Amino acid sequence: MVVSEKTLKWGLCFYPPLLFQRIWVKKFHKGFRGVDVKINKSLFNKNYNGSIFGGTIYAATDPFYALLFDQLLQRAGFKVRVWLKSASIQYLKPGRGDLFFTITVSDDMLNEAIEALNTAGKFVKAYPMEITNAQGELCATVMNEVYVRNLYQGEEPRIAY
């Protein structure tokens, strides 16, 4: 489904798995070329050490590469299925306050996906993410492996995030 940046932002802000963990989409960049996300520390996502629960940090990184590639490729005329194939995270420093990350999809990234879809019918690639605190200190690094493939004739175009 093709939607506007603002519609998807507000839809995700009130999506229960993100809302109840206090994961807030600050904004989608123009044309879905990126997203800014804030993980608000609260009573609902604080662990016994007083830092943000690792599962919340992990969950915050889950949908965004898939959403960005899905929206960009649909706008390029593709009917695709996009999902996060795998992910790994390294916690480097406790998130004792709010955490932030930004993802951007460059022209090279998008062109690589389009070329793979046109030749092989699918695209699989891992992309890094860095989660920082308000002081800019690196708190976690994440590798998200995105899976994209063309839908086959007759297959239902379901959203798979």
Side-chain angles (χ1 to χ4, degrees):
M1 165 174 39
V2 176
V3 296
S4 72
E5 292 92 344
K6 285 185 180 183
T7 300
L8 189 55
K9 172 203 181 309
W10 287 108
L12 288 174
C13 285
F14 294 108
Y15 181 53
L18 300 181
L19 175 68
F20 292 124
Q21 293 189 72
R22 303 303 188 246
I23 300 164
W24 193 255
V25 177
K26 292 173 61 179
K27 75 171 190 174
F28 279 99
H29 301 183
K30 186 163 179 62
F32 286 100
R33 285 311 191 114
V35 63
D36 298 325
V37 179
K38 179 180 181 183
I39 307 167
N40 296 291
K41 182 181 170 195
S42 78
L43 177 65
F44 296 107
N45 64 14
K46 187 169 68 168
N47 65 22
Y48 73 95
N49 287 322
S51 62
I52 294 177
F53 174 61
T56 296
I57 299 168
Y58 195 78
T61 66
D62 181 272
F64 295 105
Y65 270 115
L67 286 169
L68 292 173
F69 273 103
D70 181 63
Q71 289 299 311
L72 288 167
L73 291 168
Q74 283 189 62
R75 283 167 171 70
F78 288 90
K79 287 180 68 176
V80 293
R81 169 142 320 141
V82 185
W83 53 287
L84 181 67
K85 185 175 181 184
S86 68
S88 64
I89 190 166
Q90 284 193 309
Y91 302 102
L92 306 171
K93 182 176 185 158
R96 300 206 185 279
D98 297 342
L99 298 176
F100 306 86
F101 65 91
T102 296
I103 298 172
T104 56
V105 176
S106 68
D107 286 339
D108 290 340
M109 293 164 66
L110 184 58
N111 290 336
E112 184 180 12
I114 289 171
E115 184 178 331
L117 290 172
N118 284 331
T119 57
K122 70 177 182 176
F123 173 72
V124 181
K125 185 155 185 181
Y127 294 104
M129 301 170 68
E130 293 184 340
I131 292 92
T132 59
N133 60 20
Q135 294 75 39
E137 300 168 317
L138 189 60
C139 294
T141 59
V142 180
M143 272 309 254
N144 279 356
E145 186 178 31
V146 178
Y147 176 91
V148 184
R149 76 174 170 90
N150 278 328
L151 293 178
Y152 293 97
Q153 184 93 18
E155 185 175 0
E156 290 295 318
R158 293 178 287 157
I159 298 174
Y161 322 119

